Amino acid sequence: MDSDAKLKLMQKRIIKSYAWQRDIIVPLSKEYDCTVDELEEVFFDLLDMGGLENLHGTFKSAEDICLYQKLNADLRLCWFTGTLEVISTEDAKELKLKIIEEINNGKSYDDALKEGKLELYQLLKKEAELRSSL
Amino acid sequence: MDSDAKLKLMQKRIIKSYAWQRDIIVPLSKEYDCTVDELEEVFFDLLDMGGLENLHGTFKSAEDICLYQKLNADLRLCWFTGTLEVISTEDAKELKLKIIEEINNGKSYDDALKEGKLELYQLLKKEAELRSSL
């Protein structure tokens, strides 16, 4: 077996692993409307061995960053914090991190978001009370 | 009528306007599980007249920023662009702006996202071909 063939075999073992298939290959192949084989080939060509080995770890941490951005959008924090400045950056950050923790502990995104919106409303009410008493 | 009462009346006219009710008050009161009246009171206290008058405009522009962040998350671009560097920042930006334009032209978020994912897959395949030919 030449070195190219060996490399290909090692790549295959990583990509065929349970965690890879479950978290990356199967969901993305559905999103991209392609077969699992086709997507595996794309990843083989896109990434070198180092990339492949570390990829699953980076996927998990990128997921948290994605969640953070998605919550910012779904809670309309770019409006409440960025434009109106009625929710402080610190409160916004704390709320988002709390929701991410709940999702990582098994709560669905939709349920965690729903609760997060109720907490956001409490923050808005608190700020409204503070401002009306000034 | 004293000046406080006049101000309150002017605020009420803005908040009771069709665009305000449709885009902000009604959807947010559902999200926050409160009545329309309760949410209107919160906004009265949170914002001064200047804020109230400009608010609808800022809401629309913040919506585009929110969309941009949400697409970044839903297309996993923080992973593909930020971590793996297999999609260029320029291509990512172009793709997101194109999807936002389609949403603003009436396409639903889910449909636009679905098409965007297929376009992302084409970008990934193109990059994979390029890398395998090096």
Side-chain angles (χ1 to χ4, degrees):
Chain A
M1 193 185 273
D2 67 11
S3 58
D4 270 3
K6 264 186 205 158
L7 184 64
K8 192 100 184 172
L9 188 70
M10 285 166 75
Q11 286 182 317
K12 215 160 209 129
R13 278 199 193 123
I14 294 172
I15 286 196
K16 293 279 181 197
S17 72
Y18 177 71
W20 252 87
Q21 293 289 318
R22 177 197 58 197
D23 294 335
I24 304 173
I25 299 297
V26 172
L28 286 186
S29 67
K30 280 182 192 153
E31 289 187 9
Y32 298 162
D33 206 11
C34 65
T35 66
V36 160
D37 288 346
E38 280 166 345
L39 190 61
E40 286 175 355
E41 280 303 319
V42 170
F43 273 109
F44 283 147
D45 290 336
L46 276 179
L47 303 156
D48 58 20
M49 274 298 292
L52 275 178
E53 276 172 357
N54 297 324
L55 204 51
H56 194 261
T58 65
F59 187 78
K60 286 313 237 182
S61 50
E63 258 192 343
D64 281 354
I65 300 171
C66 281
L67 267 180
Y68 195 85
Q69 293 180 335
K70 196 169 171 170
L71 285 170
N72 209 46
D74 282 336
L75 294 168
R76 294 182 171 83
L77 288 170
C78 31
W79 193 55
F80 285 123
T81 299
T83 316
L84 304 182
E85 298 177 351
V86 294
I87 299 284
S88 73
T89 314
E90 203 42 57
D91 281 350
K93 189 177 160 185
E94 208 173 288
L95 178 59
K96 283 180 280 185
L97 291 180
K98 194 181 160 194
I99 298 174
I100 290 175
E101 205 186 331
E102 282 172 6
I103 293 169
N104 286 338
N105 286 337
K107 192 168 276 184
S108 76
Y109 181 82
D110 287 346
D111 285 349
L113 176 65
K114 200 171 173 184
E115 276 177 34
K117 283 175 177 171
L118 299 180
E119 283 186 50
L120 179 63
Y121 180 52
Q122 294 307 316
L123 290 173
L124 288 171
K125 276 209 297 192
K126 216 171 98 186
E127 181 67 21
E129 274 163 33
L130 190 74
R131 292 190 182 202
S132 73
S133 69
L134 289 180
Chain B
M1 192 184 275
D2 67 11
S3 58
D4 270 1
K6 265 187 203 156
L7 184 63
K8 191 101 184 168
L9 188 68
M10 286 166 75
Q11 285 182 318
K12 218 165 205 123
R13 277 200 193 123
I14 294 172
I15 286 195
K16 293 278 182 199
S17 71
Y18 176 72
W20 252 86
Q21 292 289 319
R22 177 198 59 197
D23 294 335
I24 302 174
I25 298 298
V26 173
L28 285 187
S29 66
K30 281 183 191 153
E31 288 186 9
Y32 298 162
D33 206 11
C34 65
T35 67
V36 160
D37 288 346
E38 280 167 345
L39 191 60
E40 285 175 356
E41 280 304 319
V42 170
F43 273 109
F44 284 146
D45 290 335
L46 276 179
L47 302 156
D48 57 20
M49 273 300 290
L52 275 179
E53 276 171 357
N54 298 323
L55 204 52
H56 194 261
T58 65
F59 187 77
K60 287 313 237 181
S61 49
E63 260 193 341
D64 281 354
I65 300 171
C66 281
L67 267 181
Y68 195 83
Q69 292 180 334
K70 196 170 172 170
L71 285 170
N72 210 45
D74 282 337
L75 293 169
R76 295 184 170 81
L77 287 171
C78 30
W79 193 55
F80 285 124
T81 299
T83 317
L84 303 183
E85 299 177 349
V86 294
I87 299 283
S88 74
T89 314
E90 202 43 59
D91 280 348
K93 189 176 162 188
E94 207 174 289
L95 177 60
K96 283 181 278 185
L97 291 178
K98 192 180 160 195
I99 298 174
I100 290 175
E101 205 187 329
E102 283 173 6
I103 294 169
N104 286 338
N105 286 338
K107 192 168 277 182
S108 77
Y109 181 82
D110 287 345
D111 285 348
L113 175 65
K114 201 171 172 182
E115 275 177 34
K117 282 176 179 173
L118 298 181
E119 282 186 50
L120 178 63
Y121 179 52
Q122 294 308 316
L123 290 174
L124 287 172
K125 276 209 296 191
K126 215 171 99 186
E127 182 66 21
E129 274 164 33
L130 191 74
R131 290 190 184 202
S132 73
S133 69
L134 290 179

